[in-house]
Amino acid sequence: SQQGEEDPQALSIQEGENATMNCSYKTSINNLQWYRQNSGRGLVHLILIRSNEREKHSGRLRVTLDTSKKSSSLLITASRAADTASYFCALSGNTPLVFGKGTRLSVIA
Amino acid sequence: DTGVSQDPRHKITKRGQNVTFRCDPISEHNRLYWYRQTLGQGPEFLTYFQNEAQLEKSRLLSDRFSAERPKGSFSTLEIQRTEQGDSAMYLCASSYQAGGEQYFGPGTRLTVT
């Protein structure tokens, strides 16, 4: 399969804790993107990391990419109830974006 | 609001009927994408356009599905002879660069009864 696989499928944490989710893939990529989807705002782009980058930050988000292991992780620090959503990794290579099945994150206040 | 818009937001139709959805991308974006998403799954690529040219279609896209982008601006997705298995959220996205970040619309939820 060309799609990424997120792990875990579901994650429940307390507000203020950090959340880490992972994405593994099997194909070559140009970049890897993370998206968030909740009922209120639909699917929103969070961060893009290129294949020659190892780490990227955006606010409370930290993404790492290990192309030798074909894996990426998304860390959300100091989580808030508003972070409750599904998070998808999407692979960009020679074909249009391929999304995984997502990690469902619940942040409990 | 200059984001991606989709119309209608919801569509209920009877099996066998034809339906058409519209997507208006961000005006500066020349790439437009259609996806389908079912419950518990990520978006599944259907087709995409660069300007008015349809560059790729998913092999999963049956002949009942057709998409157009006649003037390189808005796009329509038509499903002919709908089946219950077509029930899903249909998402449209646009981007400025190939392989770059995509901006998604709110989606059209199709229910086939």
Side-chain angles (χ1 to χ4, degrees), chain B residues 42 45 51 63 67 75 85 94 113:
Chain B
F45 168 75
N51 299 312
D63 292 342
S75 175
S94 68
T113 62

Side-chain angles (χ1 to χ4, degrees), chain A residues 76-96:
Chain A
I76 304 173
T77 60
S79 64
R80 305 167 180 169
D83 294 328
T84 294
S86 290
Y87 292 81
F88 298 93
C89 67
L91 310 178
S92 177
N94 293 325
T95 59

Side-chain angles (χ1 to χ4, degrees), chain B:
Chain B
D1 184 26
T2 57
V4 178
S5 62
Q6 293 186 245
D7 182 69
R9 296 289 303 274
H10 304 273
K11 179 70 176 179
I12 299 173
T13 191
K14 293 185 177 180
R15 188 175 54 189
Q17 297 295 305
N18 299 344
V19 294
T20 299
F21 309 142
R22 176 179 171 126
C23 171
D24 287 88
I26 293 172
S27 57
E28 309 87 68
H29 291 176
N30 58 12
R31 288 174 174 79
L32 185 148
Y33 309 82
W34 285 98
Y35 295 86
R36 176 172 60 193
Q37 186 177 25
T38 54
L39 194 63
Q41 303 294 315
E44 175 189 35
F45 168 75
L46 294 178
T47 188
Y48 95 97
F49 294 82
Q50 180 173 324
N51 299 312
E52 64 274 12
Q54 188 173 18
L55 294 188
E56 189 166 338
K57 289 174 62 173
S58 167
R59 288 173 293 176
L60 301 176
L61 203 64
S62 83
D63 292 342
R64 297 183 297 106
F65 287 69
S66 63
E68 292 183 343
R69 195 183 182 196
K71 297 183 180 179
S73 56
F74 72 91
S75 175
T76 58
L77 177 68
E78 180 183 17
I79 309 174
Q80 297 182 328
R81 305 181 302 281
T82 53
E83 302 172 356
Q84 286 189 319
D86 297 331
S87 295
M89 178 74 84
Y90 289 84
L91 297 167
C92 176
S94 68
S95 73
Y96 182 69
Q97 288 181 318
E101 62 182 277
Q102 295 184 13
Y103 295 80
F104 281 80
T108 294
R109 182 170 296 283
L110 173 65
T111 302
V112 182
T113 62

Side-chain angles (χ1 to χ4, degrees), chain A residues 5-11 20-24 34 72 89 102-103:
Chain A
E5 293 187 11
E6 292 92 342
D7 174 67
Q9 291 186 345
L11 180 61
T20 300
M21 51 205 85
N22 305 294
C23 173
S24 60
W34 285 91
S72 174
C89 67
T103 291

Side-chain angles (χ1 to χ4, degrees), chain A residues 62-75:
Chain A
R62 171 178 171 257
V63 168
T64 61
L65 179 64
D66 187 334
T67 53
S68 66
K69 295 181 179 178
K70 288 186 162 55
S71 68
S72 174
S73 68
L74 170 66
L75 168 67

